[in-house]
Amino acid sequence: MLKKVYLIGVSILLVARPCFAGYKDDIRYTELSNELSLRAINLPTGSGVSVTQVEAPEATNAYMPNIADTQFNGKIITDVSVGGLTSGHATTVAKNLYGNTTSMAPSITDIDIYEANDWINSGWYSGTPPTENNPLQNHSWVNWFQNSNAPIRMDYAVNRDGFLPIAGLYNSDYEDQNKPSDIPDTYGSMYNGITVGVSDGTHRYGTTAYDGTGRVKPEIVAPNSYTSFATPYVTAAAAMLIESAGADAAAKDQLTLKSMLLAGADKSISANWDQTTARPIDEVYGAGELDIYESYFIQQGGRQSAGSTIDERGWNLSSVSNSSSEVYTINVPAGFELRNLSTLITWNRDVTRTARGPNVNYTSSLANLSLSLTGNVSQTSDSSVDNIEHIWRDSSSALTTGSYTLTVASASFTATEYAIAWRSELYQDYSLWSATTFTASTPVDQQDASDDPDDDGIKNLLEQAFGGDPETQNTDILPINEIVEANGNQYLQISYRKPNFSNGLTYIVETVTNLNDTWSSQASVVTLISIASESGGFDRYTYRRVDPISATDKAFLRVSISQ
C-alpha cells in the first residue's frame, strides 16, 4: 500500500548534523535555567516523560539513532519496528530531543523508535491505530497521501489516548517543489497536534489542502536550518512542561500543553508577524518562535477558572456549553498599562470511529469557537476553519487602566472542551507612577524624578525604583550592604528590592576598589547570586563581589538606576 515516505532534508543527512549551536539562548532556555537557579528552583529536564520517535529510513532499514553515542548513555531506546540500522537523521533528532547535554530534556530516558513505513502500516493509515502509551510523539518526516486517512486517525488516537503529536513541515528548498500542496497531509494537516517550521521562515508554509482546507500551518517555529531538527526542540519543551506539571493532570493535558506553547511563542521573530480576525496566526511563523521561558511561567501562573479575574499569566482547561460562552476578567490597575498580551485557545477535532465487519470508517466534526477581548478596545479572533483562536497586543497597543473581558464563545450545538493560556506584562514608567502616586500635598514642581519632596534623601526616581512612597520618609527601601561568609571567605555583597513588573528602569550593580577609578559591572568583578520573592509584589536581587575581602584593602558596591 505505502511505497515511500519522505525525510525532511534527506539530501543533507547522509551524516549526522550537529545541533544548532545557539538555540538554547534563542528560545530563552538559558535565561530560564539561570533564573530558576537564582531562585533555587529546580529546572525541569523531562524526567519521567517517555516519547515516541518516528523516523523515515535514510537508507534501507536505517532509522535508528546511534545508541553507542555518549549522548544516549542511560537511555532505554526500543526499536519497536525491529532490525533498524543507524541513521544520521535519527541521531540528530534524538540528540535535540533527549541528548544528555544537547537537549533541553536530557532526563527523558524511555524512547520508542518506529520506522515510518512500519508505523503507517500498523493502523495509522488504514484500520485502527494501536494505543499510544507515551505522552509525546515526534515526527520529523512528512508524506503526501493526498487524503485524510493519516491525519484523521492521528486526531482520533489523540482523543482516545491523550498524547500530543508534534510534526515538522517540509523544508522549502528540498527535493521536488511540485508537490500537490505545500502542506502535507501526513502530518502537516492534523488538527489535534502541533506542526513546526523554522525560525527563518525557510519551510513550506501556507494553508491545508486536505482534511479540512484553509487552515494556517505551521503553528510554531523553532531555530534550526531544517524542520526535522527544529521539531524535537518543541517536543523537548513539551516534556519539560509535563515534568513541571507534577501530579496536576490538567496542567499536562494535551490541549493545555499546546495552548501554553503557542501562547508563549515570541512574535519578535519577524517584524512582519501579523494576524487577522479570520486568521488567528501568521501565515509563515504561526504563533511565533518557541519561547520556553514564557511557556514555563504561563504554567506556573496556575489554573484560573472562567468567571474569575485573572493574573498576568495563567491557563485553564474548561468546557464551554453549546451556544454559550465563558468569560475571564482582566483588571489593569490605576497607573499601569498591560503590554504584550498573548491569549490563545485551542480545542480538538472530534473523530468518530465506526466498524462494520472488516471495514473501519472515520467521521469528524469541529466545534466553532471564537475568542474576543472587550473593554476600552474590541478585538476578535474568529476563524471558520482553524481549531485555535489567538489575540495578540504588543506594547504599541497596550491596555490602559480599566476592566476588560476575554470571552470564549461557542456557536456549536454540543459542549466543547478547550484550553486557554495567556501571558502579559504590567508596565509602569515614571510618568505613569507619578501620575497616580503624588497627592495634592506635593507641589507639581516637586514631582520631577530628581526631586525629594519628603526630604528623606531619596529622590523620586529611586522611590519608584525601590518601591517607596515619595511623600513619606522611609530609608528602609534602600539597598542593603553587608559582609557575608561563603566557603571559608568573606565577601562584600549588596541587595535591593525591585517591583516584579516592568517599570522602564535599568538597574546596574557596580563595584570599584578605589573611588577615583571607574565603576565596573563586569561579571568578572560582580555577579548576581540570588533572586528571592518578597511580599507586596517585590523581588530581592542580591549581588556579590567576585573577589573575597582578603583580596583588597577596600571595596565598594552601588546600584545605579537610570531611565
Side-chain angles (χ1 to χ4, degrees):
M1 177 271 298
L2 173 60
K3 298 299 184 183
K4 186 179 181 183
V5 292
Y6 295 90
L7 273 172
I8 305 174
V10 68
S11 61
I12 53 121
L13 295 175
L14 298 178
V15 295
R17 274 287 186 199
C19 296
F20 194 78
Y23 86 92
K24 290 182 180 179
D25 293 340
D26 294 337
I27 63 175
R28 299 179 74 191
Y29 169 85
T30 304
E31 182 180 351
L32 175 64
S33 176
N34 290 340
E35 180 162 338
L36 294 188
S37 176
L38 290 166
R39 293 184 180 276
I41 298 172
N42 291 329
L43 176 71
T45 57
S47 178
V49 180
S50 56
V51 299
T52 293
Q53 178 182 346
V54 183
E55 287 286 331
E58 208 169 50
T60 302
N61 289 332
Y63 59 87
M64 285 290 291
N66 180 8
I67 59 176
D69 194 300
T70 57
Q71 288 294 330
F72 310 130
N73 287 351
K75 312 293 184 186
I76 302 172
I77 301 177
T78 303
D79 179 3
V80 182
S81 295
V82 182
L85 304 176
T86 297
S87 155
H89 182 276
T91 299
T92 303
V93 170
K95 286 181 177 181
N96 292 359
L97 178 49
Y98 48 84
N100 286 328
T101 62
T102 50
S103 170
M104 298 186 294
S107 295
I108 294 174
T109 57
D110 294 299
I111 305 99
D112 292 332
I113 309 286
Y114 291 82
E115 190 268 349
N117 289 287
D118 176 57
W119 169 269
I120 283 291
N121 287 311
S122 64
W124 293 93
Y125 184 85
S126 62
T128 304
T131 300
E132 174 60 272
N133 295 313
N134 296 327
L136 297 172
Q137 288 182 1
N138 189 91
H139 297 272
S140 291
W141 62 283
V142 301
N143 206 350
W144 279 265
F145 294 114
Q146 301 183 55
N147 57 47
S148 65
N149 289 358
I152 200 169
R153 282 168 173 78
M154 177 61 76
D155 289 345
Y156 167 78
V158 168
N159 292 334
R160 182 192 63 191
D161 301 332
F163 63 93
L164 177 62
I166 299 172
L169 292 184
Y170 212 51
N171 292 308
S172 62
D173 60 351
Y174 174 60
E175 211 180 53
D176 180 8
Q177 294 297 296
N178 297 312
K179 296 297 180 187
S181 166
D182 278 327
I183 306 302
D185 50 89
T186 309
Y187 280 108
S189 297
M190 63 181 172
Y191 286 76
N192 298 351
I194 297 175
T195 57
V196 183
V198 289
S199 297
D200 65 3
T202 56
H203 53 266
R204 303 283 283 275
Y205 55 83
T207 57
T208 55
Y210 309 109
D211 200 16
T213 61
R215 293 175 289 123
V216 178
K217 297 287 183 171
E219 282 97 357
I220 199 167
V221 297
N224 201 289
S225 298
Y226 304 98
T227 53
S228 273
F229 307 144
T231 301
Y233 297 156
V234 180
T235 310
M240 293 175 66
L241 295 177
I242 290 174
E243 181 196 343
S244 60
D248 188 340
K252 53 188 173 185
D253 183 89
Q254 164 260 342
L255 277 173
T256 308
L257 293 174
K258 181 177 177 179
S259 68
M260 291 173 180
L261 289 167
L262 299 188
D266 180 14
K267 309 296 188 287
S268 67
I269 188 63
S270 171
N272 296 320
W273 191 98
D274 73 348
Q275 62 179 173
T276 67
T277 298
R279 174 172 53 78
I281 55 178
D282 188 78
E283 294 170 303
V284 179
Y285 302 98
E289 184 177 62
L290 175 66
D291 186 331
I292 186 57
Y293 182 98
E294 289 294 350
S295 294
Y296 172 84
F297 281 109
I298 285 172
Q299 185 185 64
Q300 296 305 303
R303 187 175 188 178
Q304 299 167 45
S305 62
S308 67
T309 298
I310 60 176
D311 298 329
E312 293 168 69
R313 292 184 177 97
W315 57 274
N316 192 25
L317 182 65
S318 188
S319 179
V320 59
S321 301
N322 53 303
S323 302
S324 186
S325 63
E326 293 194 332
V327 299
Y328 301 80
T329 300
I330 299 173
N331 281 335
V332 183
F336 286 87
E337 292 178 347
L338 192 70
R339 295 184 168 189
N340 298 324
L341 172 64
S342 173
T343 308
L344 185 139
I345 63 171
T346 185
W347 62 100
N348 282 343
R349 172 172 69 159
D350 185 57
V351 179
T352 301
R353 173 186 175 275
T354 57
R356 296 178 181 176
N359 298 318
V360 178
N361 295 312
Y362 293 84
T363 56
S364 67
S365 61
L366 182 67
N368 183 13
L369 304 187
S370 64
L371 177 65
S372 62
L373 173 69
T374 55
N376 294 333
V377 300
S378 179
Q379 186 174 347
T380 298
S381 177
D382 188 11
S383 167
S384 61
V385 293
D386 294 280
N387 63 321
I388 61 173
E389 302 293 357
H390 185 30
I391 285 177
W392 163 248
R393 300 184 68 86
D394 63 16
S395 59
S396 68
S397 56
L399 300 182
T400 56
T401 297
S403 180
Y404 301 82
T405 301
L406 282 169
T407 301
V408 179
S410 170
S412 299
F413 297 106
T414 59
T416 304
E417 184 179 46
Y418 72 93
I420 181 171
W422 63 88
R423 62 179 173 93
S424 58
E425 302 170 5
L426 275 177
Y427 177 80
Q428 184 186 61
D429 61 14
Y430 186 81
S431 175
L432 290 167
W433 176 81
S434 62
T436 54
T437 299
F438 292 107
T439 67
S441 64
T442 300
V444 173
D445 62 4
Q446 288 292 303
Q447 296 180 13
D448 289 340
S450 60
D451 293 327
D452 179 18
D454 60 3
D455 293 321
D456 61 358
I458 305 174
K459 294 180 179 180
N460 290 335
L461 185 68
L462 299 183
E463 297 274 10
Q464 179 207 0
F466 300 129
D469 181 348
E471 297 180 334
T472 302
Q473 292 185 349
N474 181 10
T475 58
D476 290 343
I477 66 169
L478 292 174
I480 300 172
N481 279 290
E482 56 187 336
I483 294 174
V484 297
E485 187 166 329
N487 301 319
N489 289 307
Q490 290 186 315
Y491 295 87
L492 180 63
Q493 75 178 27
I494 191 171
S495 67
Y496 63 88
R497 72 175 196 165
K498 174 185 175 183
N500 59 11
F501 52 81
S502 178
N503 59 9
L505 301 179
T506 300
Y507 298 67
I508 300 177
V509 173
E510 301 171 310
T511 187
V512 72
T513 56
N514 187 323
L515 290 176
N516 293 320
D517 292 340
T518 301
W519 291 81
S520 174
S521 61
Q522 296 297 312
S524 59
V525 292
V526 61
T527 185
L528 176 63
I529 63 167
S530 70
I531 304 173
S533 297
E534 293 190 341
S535 61
F538 293 91
D539 287 325
R540 180 161 295 275
Y541 289 72
T542 300
Y543 284 77
R544 182 179 297 169
R545 274 185 52 84
V546 172
D547 290 335
I549 289 177
S550 59
T552 182
D553 59 347
K554 57 184 176 181
F556 307 88
L557 283 168
R558 72 180 183 184
V559 182
S560 174
I561 306 295
S562 60
Q563 290 179 293

